[in-house]
Amino acid sequence: MNILIQGGRVIDPASHMDTLADVAIADGKILAIGAVPPGFKPEQTIDATGCLVIPGLLDLAVRLREPGLEHASMLESEMAAAVAGGVTSLVCPPDTDPVLDEPGLVKMLRFRAEKLNQCHVYPLGALTRKLEGEALTEMLELTEAGCVAFSQAEVPLANTQVMQRAFQYASTFGYAVWLRPQEYFLGRGVAASGALATRLGLSGVPVAAETIALHIIFELMRVTGARVHLCRLSSAAGVALVRQAKLDGLNVTCDISINSLHLTDADIGYFDSRARLNPPLRQQRDRDALRTGLMDGTIDALVSDHTPVDEDAKALPFAESEPGATGVELLLSLALKWSQDSGVDLKRALAVVTHGPAEVLGASLGKRQGRVGRLAVGGLADVCVFDAGAAWTVAPEALRSQGKHTPFSGYELPGRVRCTIVGGQVAFQAV
C-alpha cells in the first residue's frame, strides 16, 4: 500500500532528525522523507498535523503467553495491544509452557505471529533445557529457527560452571546471552528489603541479590569474552557496577522496566498485588539512580516488562500472588512522562524505546540490522504517529491486553497513539 503521512513533526533519534516533513511509504519501505516523489499516488493519506512521527517502538520484554499459557493471554490480544501502543517489534522471553528450548516451538510461534501480520516478533531461546540450569540447549538449531539471543527469563542460573560454559559457547558463535541479575538464594523474597518490607512482614530481596550476580557475570565475561545483555536492572548499586563495567570495556548492555523507572516500594501500599513485580520495586534512591543511568546512556533501553496475569493469580494475598503487570500499551506514554518529569530531552526519551533497543539486538537482527528502530529512506516502514499533547487516563478495562492488572491504573499519562504502521501496512489506527 502507498501511504502518505502528511504534516507531522518527524523525529528519528538515530540520525538526530527533527523536522516538519511528509513521509511517503511504498512497498513496505520508506520512499521519501520531505519532498514527495513526482508521480507518487497515495492509497491512504494520514493527517499528522500536530503529531509526532517516529520509528515504531521496539520492546525488549513482552510475554505473549503462547504456547501454553493462553488462559493469561492470547497472541492476538497481546499483539493488538502492542500496535495500539506504537510497538512494531518485540522480543519475547522463553518462559512459555513448554519452554522455548526446541526449534519446532520457536518456528510455530513465529509462524503464528507472521500469520497475524501485526508486529515483528523476535523470540529468545532458552539458555538451558527447560530453564532448569543444568544442560545447555542446542543454540545453533534455535538460532536457525529464529531466536535472536538466549535467556533464563526469570529463573536464576545458580550453577556458575554452567554459566561459564554457556558464555564460552555463546562467545564462540557470536550469540548474546540475556540474564536478569539475581543471586539464586538471596532473590527468593517478594519485596525489596527495607523498612517497608519489614513493616509489612514481607520477605525481602536485598540489593546484594543483584550485585552479587553482576559480579559473577562480569568476571565470567572477562574470561570468556561473552556478550551479555542485563535485563531489568533495579538498584543504584547495580547501575554503578554496570557503568564501571562499560568503562572497563566489557561488551555489556542493559535495560530497565517502566515499573522501576516510575514506582518505588511505597507503591505497594496496603499489599496491592498489582505492585507485585519482578524485580521488586525498590526505594526512591534506586529509582533516581535508574533515571540518571537511563539519561546518561549507562542503561541502553526502557522496556515494558509486559507480563499478563489473570484475575485468579492476582486475587491472592500479596506474597502468594503471581508477579507481573501489563505494560506494552503504556511504554511510549511512560517514556514521555519520564521526559516531562525529569527534564530529559525528548529525543533521548524516544531513543530508549526505538534506536537503543535496536542497538542491543545488533547483528542478531540479520538483514534488518540498521533498519529497525529508525526512520530512513529505503528502510523498513515501521512507523508510529502519536499526539504528544493528548493526555489519557489508564483504565484497565479499556486496555487491549488480556491482562488487565497494572500499578498505573488511574494515572493520567501523556501521548496518544494515532496510527501504527508495520511493514508498510496500517496495523492500528485510532477511531
Side-chain angles (χ1 to χ4, degrees):
M1 177 177 285
N2 287 356
I3 300 173
L4 180 63
I5 304 173
Q6 205 166 44
R9 177 185 172 190
V10 180
I11 297 180
D12 177 41
S15 63
H16 307 289
M17 180 194 302
D18 186 349
T19 183
L20 286 173
D22 296 340
V23 178
I25 294 170
D27 299 322
K29 299 178 181 179
I30 295 176
L31 183 65
I33 300 175
V36 178
F40 177 77
K41 296 181 179 179
E43 298 165 67
Q44 182 173 352
T45 299
I46 298 168
D47 183 6
T49 304
C51 293
L52 275 66
V53 180
I54 65 170
L57 276 62
L58 200 170
D59 193 341
L60 298 180
V62 178
R63 285 175 172 79
L64 300 173
R65 295 306 207 189
E66 284 197 36
L69 299 168
E70 289 83 356
H71 63 282
S73 72
M74 299 289 286
L75 198 62
E76 292 86 347
S77 63
E78 305 321 296
M79 291 182 71
V83 293
V87 175
T88 58
S89 299
L90 59 87
V91 175
C92 57
D95 51 350
T96 49
D97 185 16
V99 167
L100 294 181
D101 60 0
E102 294 287 344
L105 294 170
V106 176
K107 290 177 181 177
M108 181 184 70
L109 174 61
R110 292 186 66 215
F111 175 77
R112 283 263 294 129
E114 287 169 5
K115 289 282 284 183
L116 290 173
N117 197 30
Q118 285 193 294
C119 60
H120 310 295
V121 173
Y122 300 102
L124 294 176
L127 187 64
T128 61
R129 293 177 187 170
K130 298 182 180 179
L131 298 177
E132 291 176 347
E134 297 296 330
L136 299 182
T137 55
E138 296 291 343
M139 295 187 201
L140 176 60
E141 293 181 4
L142 288 169
T143 299
E144 291 173 346
C147 290
V148 293
F150 298 91
S151 169
Q152 280 292 105
E154 292 296 322
V155 184
L157 190 52
N159 190 324
T160 52
Q161 186 178 53
V162 172
M163 187 184 294
Q164 182 181 35
R165 288 173 178 169
F167 282 15
Q168 288 171 332
Y169 188 90
S171 178
T172 300
F173 292 95
Y175 305 144
V177 176
W178 291 31
L179 296 173
R180 185 163 82 79
Q182 177 175 254
E183 201 278 331
Y184 184 77
F185 295 101
L186 292 176
R188 294 182 175 182
V190 298
S193 294
L196 187 135
T198 301
R199 191 160 60 247
L200 296 179
L202 298 173
S203 55
V205 179
V207 168
E210 183 166 279
T211 56
I212 289 171
L214 286 171
H215 280 294
I216 292 171
I217 290 168
F218 292 153
E219 286 306 308
L220 292 180
M221 287 179 70
R222 287 186 174 94
V223 299
T224 62
R227 178 161 57 96
V228 174
H229 177 68
L230 301 168
C231 305
R232 294 175 295 288
L233 216 60
S234 71
S235 70
V239 173
L241 288 175
V242 171
R243 186 177 286 116
Q244 186 58 53
K246 287 191 170 187
L247 290 173
D248 292 344
L250 293 184
N251 195 355
V252 61
T253 53
C254 67
D255 66 53
I256 60 170
S257 80
I258 53 176
N259 305 309
S260 297
L261 181 68
H262 286 284
L263 306 175
T264 68
D265 59 351
D267 290 290
I268 292 173
Y270 292 100
F271 304 99
D272 186 349
S273 64
R274 293 175 300 181
R276 169 81 164 95
L277 303 164
N278 276 334
L281 298 172
R282 296 200 175 277
Q283 286 77 35
Q284 184 174 334
R285 62 179 177 274
D286 296 295
R287 184 190 66 181
D288 292 345
L290 293 175
R291 290 184 169 192
T292 300
L294 193 62
M295 180 175 61
D296 67 20
T298 301
I299 298 165
D300 301 271
L302 179 66
V303 304
S304 69
D305 195 20
H306 180 75
T307 307
V309 179
D310 64 26
E311 186 64 35
D312 291 343
K314 278 294 186 184
L316 293 169
F318 185 89
E320 298 173 28
S321 65
E322 183 178 336
T326 191
V328 69
E329 293 167 80
L330 312 180
L331 178 60
L332 176 58
S333 289
L334 288 170
L336 296 175
K337 180 174 172 56
W338 167 59
S339 173
Q340 293 177 359
D341 291 350
S342 303
V344 176
D345 181 72
L346 177 61
K347 283 200 283 289
R348 177 58 189 165
L350 296 176
V352 298
V353 291
T354 56
H355 178 60
E359 289 293 291
V360 169
L361 288 174
S364 61
L365 288 169
K367 294 180 180 179
R368 290 179 177 170
Q369 185 179 9
R371 303 171 67 202
V372 173
R374 63 185 306 162
L375 295 179
V377 174
L380 289 177
D382 292 345
V383 184
C384 171
V385 180
F386 73 97
D387 184 350
W392 63 290
T393 301
V394 180
E397 64 278 4
L399 296 175
R400 287 164 178 79
S401 170
Q402 196 168 319
K404 304 299 182 184
H405 297 282
T406 169
F408 296 101
S409 178
Y411 275 57
E412 185 175 89
L413 300 179
R416 292 302 304 260
V417 175
R418 299 302 182 195
C419 183
T420 304
I421 298 170
V422 182
Q425 299 290 331
V426 176
F428 168 80
Q429 191 158 14
V431 179

